[in-house]
Amino acid sequence: MNHSFTRWALPGIAALALLAPSRPAAAQARQEYLLTTDWKFTKGEQPNAAQPGFNDAKWQTVSVPHDWAIYGPFDGNNDLQKVKIEQNNEKTATLKAGRTGGLPFIGTGWYRRKLAVPGFKAGKRAVLLFDGAMSNAHVFVNGKEVGSWPYGYNSFSFDITPFLKAGADNTLAVRLQNQSEASRWYPGAGLYRNVHLIVTDDVHIPVWGTYLTTSDITAQSAKVKLRTQVAVPTGTRPALRLVTEIRDAAGKVVATTTSNLAATGKPEFEQNLDLPQPKIWSPETPVLYTAASKLYAGQVLKDEYRTRFGVRSFKFEKDKGFSLNGQSRKFKGVCNHHDLGPLGAAVNTAALRHQLTLLKDMGCDAIRTSHNMPAPELVALADEMGFMLMVEAFDEWKAPKVKNGYSQYFDQWAEKDLVNMVRRDRNHPSVIMWSIGNEVPDQSNPNGPILAKRLQDIVRREDPTRPIAAGMDRFDDDFKYGLAPAVEIPGFNYKPHRYAEALSKLPQGFLLGSETASTVSSRGVYKFPVVTAKEKKYDDNQCSSYDLEACSWSQTPDEEFVQQDDLPNVIGEFVWTGFDYLGEPTPYDEKWPSHSSMFGMLDLAGMPKDRYYLYRARWNTAQPTVHLLPHWTWPGREGQTTPVFCYTSYPSAELFVNGVSQGRQTKAKSDKPQTRYRLMWNDVKYAPGSIKVVAYDAQGKAAAEETVRTAGQPHHIKLVADRTTLAADGQDLAYVTARVEDKDGNLCPDAADQLQVAVTGAGRFRAMGNGDPTSLELFHQPQMHAFHGQLVAIVQASNKAGDVQLKVTGAGLQAGTLQLKTAVK
Ligand code: GAL
């Protein structure tokens, strides 16, 4: 095997057997490779860079997925723009720096690579599949353009067979170009998702060539319908046979069928199987099956294809709302952008898994891939870990939000983009609904519902089994022009105060909080006096973690909770956002160096803010939550009012300051939504020492307690890893939190020491982050200041099994050390 290929290790691919050259030819029907290594990259326009003879020796050698902009430097001039953000109710244009992250993603970039195609000869076909390329991709093989795809978030493939030379090294070149003012957040730049080379026989199952649905689900059986397309050479009509086995999660065959395709028929098999005693997929039981299909012409195996799926049913019903597998439930969802904080947009499965693990612990069961198609790895993980997905297509249709946004492509590309989105992901049990758009300005003209119908018709043609949603923010226009009644799932953004009115008008009989809250906070930052505020700005460009600050259009979490709890046909919410992301530093859009968002329940480095626990207390019904805020180290605040909040799943709690009771609080309805969801002691006077809560359950029994102590001087660095054994696959990651602690192990909540990270052994330092939305320190440099006492270092496994040593040092602090392991799976 050519060393420059990496085997595709994603589930569903029979890669192992297919790569062994000693196997009979029949077993080599399909070969799939990830093109990860040996890419050459440069920024800037390069005449003739598509030509095979072009000399790229001076270009940088990179591996893909690759985000060319994440290495910085941050600079407000990188994405400076004078704009009026209409979504933010702005009336005049102002200068904005950092709106899209302040990173150098704008401009042209080129990637080149040798493309050996093992086994390619007459009778074979080769396809390049891009999971996403940011953006305006033009793909060249041996100097000839094989195709282009403008939208940076979509997956697309090109058949490169006619462009290849057999038995020779071929050259692949990709030109990408990002325009200014094309996005409202950091898009990333480059080949930030995987590139696959797929080699098949010319009789084969094409990319995304199967469509599997389940129905008639009972405890005894489920019907599985599998439609499989086949591609054959033009002018030929071979008689084909498709043998499909359904395997359960343990690999046991539980159903089989064989079908013949008449030489005269259309090139698609339809197979119907009965699956006995199906195990049902849900967020709580993410059980998966695989349909493994073999395509034969006579006795010759032509192709093998795997379709992973789950068995589940759901309904969205008038005046009843949403139910999954017969049980009604409300979405406990988050919206997320695609960037992975310190890793930028470069996709990494371990980083996604880390995010989903944190969301799972919070009790989150759903994700809206705002406002674009996700990486396929996210969808696969959502299947495996149990998340319901709303997969979204667009942030704009015909009417623009930003000068060079998707509207320029809409007419020509919307259908192609929707088709690829749906075909790629329609077999995944996690995908519960499609969204055709977010806050599109076309809401405000009569064309809106017409465009919505066009888009819905396309999605429905490709997948009639899932409903179609849109996120709407222009409430009155949505009824005036008719978008709200036109979409199958009416989603409202930031409109809890109008849900009752909407329900009285909507023919659908239910609605979704498609985007909610947008509360802003900085981890570890507390501002006094503690007041509810909109658009509050401070000199340090931070927001308070008392979780009472929002934007002019948005709310505190509790305002949404009230409507979710009191209105039965509100089917849940997708909170903006799970994680902070690069770009959109509201309310500091005009105040460089702010360049990342503050909406997250978790910060940009993936550390939970207090708000995480407010949602956990509500959403995680399996484990109790007791969380106290603020920290209790306030030199100079002695005797001053310092409110204490407790976010807990228990109904009441008693607070003690240095052992003295501050009384018992019980969640209760009042004119303030917060009193129903938080326990708040608003008059506490600060005195150093400790605060402690004792939480009481519904029966009035003391059930749990939590203490926060005043910290002394910074003394040592404590390292806490999310995982200690990594796969030795060159990709796996450990997220290690470095905490500056006093000698007794209390977090020093204001520590801002510069910390250095050194990794030796079977791993390397990958990146780090501290969650400070104003920090200009670069993620890939091994030193950074702690932000409110903490930062996160990301360690990447090597390809070898062994020990990894991590050492974090800081002046005047005892170093932290930690040993991790990498192991071959
Ligand atoms: C919404 C928008 C999101 C984000 C959010 C911030 O209006 O859909 O993309 O901008 O506001 O609150």
Side-chain angles (χ1 to χ4, degrees):
M1 190 182 114
N2 186 314
H3 71 280
S4 60
F5 290 109
T6 305
R7 278 210 312 261
W8 192 19
L10 285 180
I13 298 303
L16 257 185
L18 302 177
L19 286 163
S22 57
R23 295 274 176 135
Q28 297 187 13
R30 166 178 291 257
Q31 294 166 307
E32 301 207 9
Y33 308 98
L34 279 184
L35 305 182
T36 52
T37 57
D38 299 329
W39 286 91
K40 298 299 260 181
F41 164 74
T42 194
K43 267 192 85 172
E45 197 46 278
Q46 302 291 326
N48 304 321
Q51 295 310 315
F54 182 87
N55 183 356
D56 58 18
K58 296 218 172 76
W59 293 13
Q60 201 188 338
T61 302
V62 299
S63 61
V64 165
H66 175 247
D67 177 351
W68 84 57
I70 195 62
Y71 305 100
F74 289 105
D75 189 325
N77 291 311
N78 279 333
D79 58 354
L80 196 66
Q81 43 181 272
K82 189 170 184 192
V83 286
K84 172 175 75 171
I85 307 180
E86 278 174 28
Q87 291 72 43
N88 297 5
N89 307 323
E90 292 179 2
K91 302 285 178 257
T92 49
T94 55
L95 259 193
K96 276 144 190 122
R99 185 184 183 199
T100 48
L103 287 162
F105 67 88
I106 295 166
T108 305
W110 276 94
Y111 291 82
R112 282 171 54 91
R113 172 188 208 288
K114 288 272 166 250
L115 186 67
V117 186
F120 184 73
K121 55 177 192 252
K124 292 279 180 185
R125 296 211 80 86
V127 165
L128 285 174
L129 168 62
F130 292 80
D131 290 344
M134 191 62 73
S135 62
N136 283 298
H138 289 263
V139 178
F140 304 86
V141 171
N142 296 329
K144 298 224 171 61
E145 181 160 356
V146 301
S148 64
W149 203 279
Y151 197 25
Y153 294 102
N154 215 346
S155 296
F156 56 91
S157 63
F158 300 125
D159 185 338
I160 57 168
T161 311
F163 301 87
L164 286 174
K165 290 181 282 176
D169 259 356
N170 297 280
T171 303
L172 169 62
V174 184
R175 178 188 187 270
L176 299 164
Q177 189 185 21
N178 295 320
Q179 288 174 280
S180 61
E181 296 188 44
S183 181
R184 299 189 300 111
W185 57 86
Y186 176 66
L191 294 177
Y192 73 112
R193 289 182 181 164
N194 276 304
V195 183
H196 310 249
L197 170 68
I198 305 166
V199 186
T200 62
D201 197 282
D202 56 10
V203 173
H204 66 282
I205 297 163
V207 171
W208 311 324
T210 63
Y211 181 30
L212 189 149
T213 51
T214 58
S215 65
D216 303 272
I217 302 163
T218 66
Q220 284 70 45
S221 74
K223 287 200 189 316
V224 175
K225 182 200 265 191
L226 177 63
R227 282 165 36 191
T228 304
Q229 292 172 31
V230 288
V232 298
T234 325
T236 69
R237 291 180 166 220
L240 298 173
R241 185 161 42 98
L242 189 70
V243 181
T244 294
E245 292 180 344
I246 294 184
R247 304 203 185 119
D248 67 12
K252 194 175 134 214
V253 175
V254 289
T256 60
T257 192
T258 298
S259 322
N260 292 306
L261 192 67
T264 50
K266 75 169 184 175
E268 182 178 291
F269 289 91
E270 181 180 313
Q271 297 184 307
N272 290 285
L273 298 98
D274 278 319
L275 184 63
Q277 279 121 35
K279 297 216 167 58
I280 305 300
W281 187 96
S282 75
E284 295 72 34
T285 58
V287 185
L288 298 172
Y289 290 89
T290 304
S293 301
K294 287 189 169 143
L295 178 68
Y296 291 94
Q299 292 314 304
V300 183
L301 178 64
K302 290 290 187 181
D303 202 357
E304 288 184 87
Y305 200 96
R306 293 189 183 190
T307 307
R308 203 170 65 159
F309 69 100
V311 180
R312 60 21 173 186
S313 63
F314 58 80
K315 285 188 185 143
F316 291 85
E317 290 173 287
K318 190 173 166 68
D319 302 328
K320 284 196 190 145
F322 172 61
S323 60
L324 180 72
N325 302 320
Q327 283 173 344
S328 83
R329 59 193 287 163
K330 295 193 179 211
F331 292 98
K332 303 170 177 178
V334 297
C335 304
N336 274 339
H337 275 314
H338 65 307
D339 80 59
L340 295 165
L343 303 185
V347 73
N348 176 292
T349 303
L352 286 168
R353 190 182 290 114
H354 175 69
Q355 285 198 333
L356 297 194
T357 303
L358 289 159
L359 293 177
K360 196 87 190 167
D361 177 65
M362 189 169 59
C364 168
D365 66 10
I367 298 170
R368 172 180 181 224
T369 69
S370 42
H371 302 298
N372 42 257
M373 306 77 183
E377 290 84 352
L378 176 69
V379 185
L381 283 170
D383 287 348
E384 291 162 24
M385 296 173 73
F387 287 88
M388 296 180 283
L389 296 183
M390 178 203 269
V391 171
E392 190 152 80
F394 306 123
D395 195 46
E396 48 185 59
W397 297 343
K398 264 181 107 72
K401 280 183 186 170
V402 286
K403 197 166 93 194
N404 298 313
Y406 190 78
S407 68
Q408 64 184 310
Y409 307 120
F410 183 81
D411 282 339
Q412 208 193 328
W413 285 90
E415 176 164 6
K416 292 182 203 137
D417 276 320
L418 287 175
V419 166
N420 282 19
M421 172 183 89
V422 175
R423 290 200 186 159
R424 194 195 78 185
D425 285 345
R426 65 187 173 181
N427 294 327
H428 291 273
S430 57
V431 179
I432 298 287
M433 53 190 150
W434 308 107
S435 163
I436 49 175
N438 171 61
E439 298 188 355
V440 295
D442 294 292
Q443 288 165 100
S444 297
N445 66 61
N447 208 20
I450 297 169
L451 293 173
K453 177 166 184 323
R454 182 181 145 209
L455 301 176
Q456 290 198 99
D457 286 349
I458 295 165
V459 174
R460 217 174 280 132
R461 179 189 80 207
E462 298 299 321
D463 176 26
T465 73
R466 291 177 181 84
I468 300 155
M472 300 175 288
D473 66 327
R474 303 186 181 185
F475 191 95
D476 294 314
D477 285 352
D478 295 325
F479 286 96
K480 180 170 167 201
Y481 295 105
L483 186 61
V487 282
E488 284 174 291
I489 301 191
F492 288 95
N493 294 4
Y494 311 107
K495 297 293 175 295
H497 47 291
R498 303 194 72 179
Y499 285 170
E501 181 190 347
L503 285 169
S504 74
K505 294 180 179 167
L506 284 167
Q508 296 91 329
F510 61 83
L511 67 81
L512 173 68
S514 40
E515 199 174 306
T516 62
S518 267
T519 307
V520 283
S521 64
S522 310
R523 178 184 52 77
V525 174
Y526 304 91
K527 302 289 189 185
F528 302 98
V530 175
V531 284
T532 307
K534 298 254 165 145
E535 302 291 330
K536 182 89 184 149
K537 296 186 186 64
Y538 303 91
D539 289 344
D540 62 358
N541 287 25
Q542 304 294 348
C543 295
S544 178
S545 262
Y546 277 102
D547 298 327
L548 293 171
E549 295 175 6
C551 313
S552 63
W553 62 91
S554 69
Q555 293 90 25
T556 58
D558 324 68
E559 289 163 73
E560 180 71 30
F561 294 165
V562 168
Q563 303 306 324
Q564 291 284 338
D565 288 347
D566 291 352
L567 297 171
N569 297 320
V570 176
I571 62 172
E573 64 171 318
F574 286 85
V575 180
W576 193 266
T577 49
F579 289 81
D580 279 346
Y581 51 93
L582 289 159
E584 217 178 16
T586 312
Y588 299 107
D589 299 293
E590 285 133 36
K591 277 190 73 192
W592 186 257
S594 291
H595 58 269
S596 62
S597 80
M598 309 172 86
F599 299 115
M601 303 158 172
L602 298 110
D603 71 17
L604 195 69
M607 286 181 271
K609 303 180 191 172
D610 293 302
R611 208 141 29 92
Y612 176 91
Y613 299 96
L614 184 59
Y615 286 96
R616 189 183 193 276
R618 174 175 172 80
W619 285 352
N620 184 336
T621 50
Q623 289 153 322
T625 298
V626 182
H627 177 76
L628 263 184
L629 63 140
H631 65 73
W632 209 241
T633 306
W634 295 106
R637 284 196 67 78
E638 289 78 4
Q640 292 185 53
T641 303
T642 307
V644 175
F645 291 3
C646 179
Y647 296 162
T648 178
S649 47
Y650 294 107
S652 77
E654 183 170 8
L655 176 72
F656 299 88
V657 177
N658 295 329
V660 179
S661 174
Q662 307 293 305
R664 190 157 156 177
Q665 295 282 344
T666 300
K667 292 179 193 168
K669 287 189 186 177
S670 77
D671 56 349
K672 284 207 172 69
Q674 284 77 21
T675 60
R676 200 165 151 187
Y677 302 101
R678 326 176 179 195
L679 302 175
M680 300 180 289
W681 292 264
N682 287 319
D683 303 320
V684 177
K685 300 280 182 277
Y686 175 69
S690 70
I691 50 175
K692 175 174 123 177
V693 274
V694 179
Y696 294 90
D697 65 16
Q699 287 70 45
K701 283 218 310 272
E705 55 180 67
E706 176 76 9
T707 301
V708 178
R709 294 188 176 80
T710 304
Q713 289 309 305
H715 173 263
H716 62 261
I717 299 163
K718 166 93 178 281
L719 301 182
V720 186
D722 67 329
R723 296 155 65 224
T724 50
T725 303
L726 304 182
D729 61 1
Q731 295 295 322
D732 206 0
L733 303 173
Y735 282 73
V736 182
T737 305
R739 293 164 47 98
V740 178
E741 295 185 343
D742 72 3
K743 66 178 182 10
D744 300 319
N746 298 304
L747 178 74
C748 297
D750 285 324
D753 303 74
Q754 191 184 48
L755 306 184
Q756 283 81 33
V757 177
V759 179
T760 52
R764 68 178 181 97
F765 167 75
R766 170 70 194 264
M768 63 198 210
N770 61 13
D772 176 0
T774 70
S775 169
L776 300 178
E777 291 172 292
L778 296 175
F779 301 120
H780 65 287
Q781 304 285 6
Q783 68 275 323
M784 186 173 272
H785 289 85
F787 181 61
H788 289 276
Q790 302 187 73
L791 55 72
V792 172
I794 306 170
V795 178
Q796 186 154 353
S798 75
N799 282 312
K800 295 202 183 72
D803 292 333
V804 187
Q805 293 81 30
L806 171 67
K807 186 169 187 185
V808 180
T809 52
L813 296 168
Q814 254 176 40
T817 57
L818 187 77
Q819 182 147 317
L820 307 169
K821 261 191 188 336
T822 58
V824 178
K825 269 193 210 156

